[in-house]
Amino acid sequence: MKKILFISMLLILCISNAAAQKTAEIKFDKQTYNFGKFSESNPVQKCTFNFTNVGDAPLVINQAMASCGCTVPSYTKAPIAPGGKGTVTVTYNGKGKFPGHFKKSITIKSNAKNENCALICRRHNGRSKINKKGALSSLFYYHYIIRIFITNLIHIKTNMQNLLRHIL
């Protein structure tokens, strides 16, 4: 009887300790940015995403990854105290790229409760009609997106194989 009482008290203590742990939580002011129209002669564009740590533990961003090499994220490296603010600055370099619409994603990995979050940078100038050049650009864009998707699938397959090798 004493063992059962001791085990149940230990279980209650562990559960209450796990519930009392403090966690960070990241909240962005906006998660999408539209570059709109910009000149092809000035292809380097920047945008800034502001965020706040709305949790009750320090927030640490471990990594910011862009969906392609033409988009480079930089972020606040120091831990952000609860209630503190930080930034993620994204630089897009469209030199030599196809003009027209694009959509780039930036994945933020952190110690927050919502540990993975995505930011979107895009260019959409609001035109509803697509001319022949725009249609061709869209074709290349979709080809590019499919190529990225296939590359990511290959990386996932390789990572799963490596994981299985380590487990087995």
Side-chain angles (χ1 to χ4, degrees):
M1 183 68 175
K2 288 182 182 181
K3 287 183 181 180
I4 294 173
L5 183 62
F6 176 74
I7 290 173
S8 62
M9 290 298 285
L10 187 62
L11 183 63
I12 290 171
L13 182 66
C14 290
I15 290 172
S16 64
N17 187 27
Q21 286 184 343
K22 297 179 178 182
T23 59
E25 186 174 350
I26 191 168
K27 183 174 186 228
F28 283 92
D29 294 345
K30 61 183 176 191
Q31 289 187 281
T32 303
Y33 182 83
N34 185 358
F35 286 111
K37 294 181 182 180
F38 61 86
S39 171
E40 299 302 324
S41 63
N42 185 17
V44 178
Q45 301 291 316
K46 288 187 177 189
C47 67
T48 301
F49 294 94
N50 298 312
F51 63 87
T52 305
N53 179 3
V54 295
D56 49 8
L59 171 70
V60 178
I61 295 180
N62 301 319
Q63 190 177 28
M65 298 181 311
S67 59
C68 82
C70 62
T71 308
V72 179
S74 60
Y75 54 92
T76 305
K77 305 262 192 285
I80 289 102
K85 296 185 179 290
T87 60
V88 175
T89 302
V90 179
T91 304
Y92 169 75
N93 186 353
K95 185 175 183 180
K97 306 290 182 211
F98 297 107
H101 302 284
F102 64 77
K103 186 175 181 181
K104 307 294 178 187
S105 65
I106 296 89
T107 303
I108 307 296
K109 294 187 177 190
S110 68
N111 68 332
K113 182 170 71 172
N114 47 340
E115 62 187 48
N116 289 332
C117 45
L119 305 173
I120 305 293
C121 291
R122 63 189 181 117
R123 178 181 181 191
H124 177 69
N125 57 9
R127 290 183 300 184
S128 59
K129 295 181 180 177
I130 299 176
N131 58 18
K132 290 180 183 178
K133 186 176 179 183
L136 186 59
S137 296
S138 296
L139 178 65
F140 284 116
Y141 171 75
Y142 290 117
H143 176 265
Y144 177 73
I145 295 299
I146 290 170
R147 193 172 72 206
I148 289 174
F149 179 72
I150 290 171
T151 303
N152 287 339
L153 285 178
I154 291 170
H155 287 300
I156 290 170
K157 177 186 169 197
T158 305
N159 289 339
M160 291 300 287
Q161 288 174 341
N162 290 339
L163 181 65
L164 288 174
R165 273 191 228 130
H166 289 287
I167 292 173
L168 301 176

